[in-house]
Structure formats: structure tokens, C-alpha cells
């Protein structure tokens, strides 16, 4: 038997990841609280915040939800295609895209607590329980015909990736 799980945006919110609508606020907070791992990339965070401020001027002529990280990412991708974002050069726009990627992964890294137990890093809740449940589905079954699981995610889902790795399901 096969089962496909679809993880929507927000699937890892219970684990501590910000939603798309509050991602930028969470990134601001991490910078404001001077989190060591974020301080190391302060210039990347500030570059993104400066670009958002610059995009505010365009906001009056178009609808851009600049509180949503996906919309900001899309605007920067569009700027790469058009080779234009304010007075920035193409090289600066590419650097801005890299800064946004850094902001995303650092925000996720510092927002999601991964439990440690005897030096071993475990998947966060609720992923730990979810994969325990999946293990129980195959418990006592014929090993030649195990239940198969597939996962589709619409998320920057570090939690799912790590849980798959931790459980030995990631090939």
C-alpha cells in the first residue's frame, strides 16, 4: 500500500517555524535580539530590509504584500529577470537574492528548536510523533511488502527533511 502526505505552508509552524506572513517580523526580532548566529550575517538581513523599504515606494503603484516573504522573494526574482531594482546593478541584485536566502535559512535555523538528547539531535515536535506513528504502521508487517510513504511539501521544511533523515527514510 502507498500513502502520499502533502505538507502545506505552515506545516512546521508548530515546530517553531514562522509562517510566510510573519517571517520578516521573526527575522527582525532575531536581529534585534542580537542572536549570535544572526549577528554574523547582519549585513545580509539589513540588505533585505533595505530592499523591502525600497519596494514600499513601488507599493503605491501595485499591490505587493511586503510582509510576506514569498512575495518579497518573488519581487527579487522578478528584479533578476528584469535586471532592475531601483538603482542596483545586476551584481547587487544577485547579492540581494543571496542575502534573502541567508535570511530565510538563518531565520529557520534560529526559530526551530531541535531537541537534543544525550548528544543526539532529534526531530522537533510534532514531527517526532508523526514518524513514530509511521513506524507503527509497518510494525509486525511482512518486511517484503511494507507500507510505502511519499511526501510532498510546499514549505521551506527543514523539519521534514531532518525527520526523514533521522528516521532513515531519506535516500
Amino acid at each position: 500500500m502507498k500513502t502520499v502526505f502533502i505538507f502545506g505552508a505552515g506545516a512546521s509552524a508548530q515546530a517553531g517555524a514562522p509562517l510566510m506572513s510573519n517571517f520578516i517580523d521573526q527575522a527582525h526580532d532575531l536581529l534585534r535580539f542580537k542572536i549570535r548566529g544572526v549577528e554574523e550575517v547582519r549585513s545580509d538581513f539589513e540588505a533585505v530590509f533595505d530592499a523591502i523599504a525600497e519596494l514600499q515606494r513601488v507599493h503605491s503603484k501595485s499591490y505587493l504584500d511586503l510582509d510576506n516573504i514569498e512575495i518579497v522573494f518573488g519581487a527579487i526574482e522578478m528584479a533578476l529577470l528584469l535586471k532592475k531594482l531601483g538603482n542596483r546593478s545586476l551584481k547587487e541584485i544577485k547579492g540581494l537574492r543571496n542575502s534573502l536566502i541567508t535570511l530565510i535559512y538563518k531565520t529557520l535555523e534560529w526559530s526551530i528548536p531541535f531537541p537534543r538528547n544525550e548528544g543526539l539531535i532529534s526531530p522537533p515536535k510534532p514531527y517526532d510523533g508523526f514518524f513514530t506513528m509511521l513506524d507503527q504502521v509497518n510494525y509486525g508487517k511482512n518486511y517484503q511488502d511494507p507500507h510505502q510513504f511519499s511526501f510532498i511539501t510546499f514549505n521551506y521544511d527543514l523539519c521534514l527533511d531532518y525527520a526523514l533523515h533521522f528516521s532513515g527514510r531519506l535516500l
Side-chain angles (χ1 to χ4, degrees):
M1 180 177 273
K2 296 180 183 184
T3 302
V4 177
F5 291 96
I6 300 173
F7 289 72
S12 55
Q14 190 177 355
L19 298 172
M20 295 300 112
S21 61
N22 69 341
F23 207 102
I24 293 168
D25 290 337
Q26 180 74 14
H28 269 290
D29 288 346
L30 291 171
L31 195 60
R32 187 169 44 102
F33 295 137
K34 299 185 179 191
I35 303 297
R36 184 187 54 178
V38 174
E39 277 292 308
E40 297 167 0
V41 292
R42 174 177 279 279
S43 61
D44 289 308
F45 275 55
E46 289 175 345
V48 172
F49 299 146
D50 289 345
I52 291 170
E54 190 172 340
L55 286 168
Q56 291 286 356
R57 287 184 248 139
V58 177
H59 189 267
S60 64
K61 296 179 181 163
S62 65
Y63 177 73
L64 291 175
D65 180 6
L66 297 175
D67 292 324
N68 185 316
I69 193 74
E70 289 286 342
I71 301 300
V72 173
F73 200 106
I76 292 171
E77 288 292 319
M78 186 60 68
L80 275 172
L81 289 172
L82 298 173
K83 299 180 175 86
K84 179 121 177 92
L85 181 64
N87 294 324
R88 288 179 169 83
S89 68
L90 181 57
K91 182 179 178 182
E92 290 170 318
I93 298 169
K94 287 178 181 177
L96 178 59
R97 183 182 186 279
N98 291 338
S99 291
L100 180 59
I101 291 168
T102 299
L103 179 140
I104 290 169
Y105 86 76
K106 284 293 187 177
T107 300
L108 290 171
E109 178 180 50
W110 288 95
S111 298
I112 302 169
F114 284 83
R116 290 180 179 86
N117 186 11
E118 297 179 14
L120 188 63
I121 299 172
S122 302
K125 293 185 182 307
Y127 290 83
D128 58 343
F130 177 67
F131 279 89
T132 298
M133 179 196 67
L134 295 183
D135 288 339
Q136 291 171 351
V137 169
N138 280 326
Y139 182 75
K141 282 197 166 184
N142 181 343
Y143 70 91
Q144 293 177 340
D145 187 27
H147 194 102
Q148 296 178 0
F149 303 104
S150 297
F151 305 91
I152 299 170
T153 182
F154 296 96
N155 203 0
Y156 299 121
D157 209 328
L158 303 177
C159 301
L160 178 60
D161 287 350
Y162 187 71
L164 286 165
H165 171 76
F166 187 82
S167 70
R169 287 181 173 83
L170 192 61
L171 301 177

